[in-house]
Structure formats: C-alpha cells, structure tokens
Amino acid sequence: MATRKNEQNDCFDGRQDKQQGKLKMKTMGRVSLVGGGPGDPELITLRGRDRLVEADVVIYDELAGLALLDFCPVDCARIYVGKRCGEHAAAQAGIIDLLIWHARAGRNVVRLKGGDPFIFGRGGEELTALLRAEIPCEVVPGITAAAAAAAAAGVPLTHRALSSAVVFLTGHENPDKSESSIDWASYAQLKATLCIYMGGRRMAEIAAKLIAGGMAPEMSAAVVSRASRPDQQIEFFTLASLTELNPREIKSPTLVIIGDVVRLPSQVPELASVAAVF
Ligand code: SAH
C-alpha cells in the first residue's frame, strides 16, 4: 500500500510541478471525485478504495454507501453534505468551497459520491470549479445505478435481438427550469432501453407521457429500489400498470428500467434467479 501511495502522489505532484512550481508542490493537497457505486461496499473500484484508504478528509452524502467510510483511516475527517444540509445552489457552492479549502490546506480529499460522479452526480460542476481553482484533481469512475439495477433484476441493458441503445434520463429535473427539457414522446419512439433516475415520485406521470408518445402500454418496466443493498426490491410492471403506481409504495433510491429487454427475466427463468446472488 505504501508504494502505491507514493506512486499516486508522484502523479499528482508531477502535474503540479508543471503547473505551479516547486514551492506549492509540497503544500497543495488533491481532490478525488470518487464514484462509490450503488451501495454494496464491494462494488467500489480498487482505485476508489485506495483513495479512501489514503484520505485525510472525506466529503460524502447519503447515496454513497456508508460502509465505504470504514475504508478511511480512523483519523480521517468525515464531513456529511447530503440532503439534510439542503440541496440548493448555495449548498453546492459550499461543498465546492470545502473541497478547495481542504485541498489548499494540503489534505488528500475524497469527494465520495453514489454511483458514478459524472452521471447525475454534479461531478462536472465540481471538477470544473476545482480545475479553475488549480487544485490537482481526478475522477474515479463508479458503477452507476442503472448498471447495478440491471444486474440485480437480471435485465441486460442491451441485447443483440432486442435493444442496441441505452438512454439515461432523469425523472426529476431542476424545478427552477421553466420547461421540461425531456421530450418524453421522442423517447417513446426510440427502440432503446430507458433507465430513469430520480423518477420514483413522478413515475406514474412519466409512464402516461410515454404511452401518449406512442410506447406500447404493455411494454415491460422494472422498478428496482436500493439496488445492491441488503433491502433491495425488484418489481416488474407494464407501462399501463406503472401509471397507477403509488409513489409511497416505492423505497428510495429507485431506478426504473423500461424496454423490451425487461421481458427477458420472465422468458428466461435463469436470468430471474440472478437477484438471489446479492
Ligand atoms: N451518480 C449516481 C446517480 C445520482 S442521482 C449514479 O451514477 O448512480 C440519484 C438517483 O440514482 C436516485 O434517485 C436513483 O434513481 C438512482 N440510484 C442511486 N443509487 C441507487 C440504488 N442503489 N438503487 C436504485 N437506484 C439508485
């Protein structure tokens, strides 16, 4: 582990050496935007785990499985910045300030996120701000919820005979936007697998829009809650039955997969048994 740590620091210091000169090189820390995966601590990458093992500060929210914090050293500062702290723009600006402040104080900072930092994770905003502030930083990808939910449900997101495209969509757009940028009717026409993030509360409305846009009411949908966690739940619906879904019956976080591939576990029982692996 010691050798690995030196290698990583060399990598960061090398970048700084070119950009900032030797004086700052010794004092500047770094920020790793780490994708923690869907919740099961075994589903973080080796690189992500290494960054946690070396962290002086970890800044996390509820989507990152809390068990991942056990990889951090005992004296690592753990800073919670999740929903209880508010999700408005000021909170996001505060998180960025925090990352920059700790890195400038010479610390190895991990910004731990659920899934992948670049998929509905505000990773782009944070990375941009860090680069503008000339903080050495990197992105460590993670297993996104759609991949974990698909694995849990035994639903291959692509299939040679059924789907050659996958779309990741948010069902919960920024409420400040005046109009929805998601044209559900156009997605209804695609012969693609749709993976809907953050759609739990609006799923009935979304299903109705897809049907209105031309998608078959009998199209299959899988609602996967808490994928990869011990209390994972998987339920199969048709699009028509989704329109009657009571959001209170769904545990959060939930990922919804819609498309022809979702039929496969009912046709190939071996696929349906995959969920038992977790
Ligand atoms: N960056 C994350 C997504 C953050 S948006 C990623 O790549 O997965 C938050 C949404 O992700 C949730 O509302 C839910 O739709 C989905 N999600 C995250 N973890 C999940 C899990 N374990 N099971 C099901 N859905 C999950």
Side-chain angles (χ1 to χ4, degrees), residues 116-129:
D116 181 88
F118 275 177
I119 298 180
F120 304 125
R122 297 198 156 202
E125 284 144 87
E126 291 177 13
L127 186 69
T128 305

Side-chain angles (χ1 to χ4, degrees), residues 90-155:
Q92 184 60 34
I95 292 170
I96 289 171
D97 288 348
L98 207 57
L99 296 172
I100 294 173
W101 188 80
H102 282 291
R104 286 197 174 136
R107 302 184 183 118
N108 286 339
V109 184
V110 170
R111 171 69 173 113
L112 182 62
K113 289 170 174 288
D116 181 88
F118 275 177
I119 298 180
F120 304 125
R122 297 198 156 202
E125 284 144 87
E126 291 177 13
L127 186 69
T128 305
L130 292 165
L131 291 170
R132 284 192 183 144
E134 300 189 356
I135 305 292
C137 52
E138 65 172 346
V139 178
V140 180
I143 294 179
T144 192
V155 171

Side-chain angles (χ1 to χ4, degrees), residues 38-39 63 114-117 119-121 143-146 149 196-199 224-229 253-255:
L63 270 183
D116 181 88
I119 298 180
F120 304 125
I143 294 179
T144 192
I196 303 174
Y197 290 71
M198 296 173 277
V224 184
S225 299
R226 307 184 66 78
S228 86
R229 302 182 190 202
T254 299
L255 191 291

Side-chain angles (χ1 to χ4, degrees), residues 128-273:
T128 305
L130 292 165
L131 291 170
R132 284 192 183 144
E134 300 189 356
I135 305 292
C137 52
E138 65 172 346
V139 178
V140 180
I143 294 179
T144 192
V155 171
L157 293 181
T158 66
H159 187 280
R160 278 165 64 97
L162 297 172
S163 172
S164 20
V166 184
V167 182
F168 293 169
L169 291 151
T170 170
H172 173 86
E173 287 184 278
N174 183 346
D176 299 338
K177 276 192 200 166
S178 54
E179 284 176 29
S180 171
S181 64
I182 299 183
D183 176 5
W184 292 99
S186 71
Y187 290 107
Q189 304 293 329
L190 288 179
K191 298 225 170 301
T193 307
L194 305 183
C195 297
I196 303 174
Y197 290 71
M198 296 173 277
R201 276 191 227 141
R202 292 189 49 219
M203 225 28 247
E205 187 191 325
I206 292 168
K209 284 187 181 167
L210 288 170
I211 293 172
M215 195 177 266
E218 55 279 5
M219 177 63 81
S220 301
V223 176
V224 184
S225 299
R226 307 184 66 78
S228 86
R229 302 182 190 202
D231 54 351
Q232 157 181 295
Q233 274 183 4
I234 302 153
E235 285 185 75
F236 290 91
F237 293 83
T238 61
L239 211 48
S241 62
L242 259 191
T243 62
E244 283 157 26
L245 188 73
N246 178 353
R248 290 210 197 111
E249 286 165 18
I250 309 176
K251 274 199 278 174
S252 166
T254 299
L255 191 291
V256 181
I257 308 173
I258 299 173
D260 287 324
V261 285
V262 180
R263 282 198 321 269
L264 280 170
S266 65
Q267 294 170 348
V268 186
E270 291 82 355
L271 285 176
S273 68

